[in-house]
Amino acid sequence: MTPYELETIADAIADRVADRLANRRRLLTRHELAQVINVSLPKLDTMLRDNELPVIRVGRKVLFDPHSVIQHLAAKSKGA
């Protein structure tokens, strides 16, 4: 392979990796989720205590997938 061909392949791989990283979902902390769904931290803590939100536990850390939380809240509001 020529250096040009190798560089073309490397660029294509770099573009694919960048696309996959851009599409990856990011997990949020309590503070970030409260801002996203526009509730106070005490209200969010109440929702957590009452098991109203889907959570991801990593050790003692509680994280949230914002897409799952929003879908869960939307489904809950339709049922109410």
Side-chain angles (χ1 to χ4, degrees), residues 22-68:
N23 290 331
R24 182 176 290 168
R25 290 184 178 175
R26 181 173 174 270
L27 299 178
L28 303 179
T29 63
R30 285 175 44 250
H31 297 278
E32 293 168 330
L33 182 66
Q35 290 177 345
V36 168
I37 64 173
N38 198 29
V39 298
S40 67
L41 277 174
K43 173 62 177 171
L44 183 65
D45 290 338
T46 300
M47 294 169 79
L48 287 171
R49 186 186 68 232
D50 296 341
N51 293 320
E52 294 180 19
L53 297 175
V55 300
I56 299 169
R57 294 189 188 275
V58 180
R60 295 181 69 187
K61 192 171 210 166
V62 177
L63 299 171
F64 305 89
D65 177 1
H67 301 286
S68 297

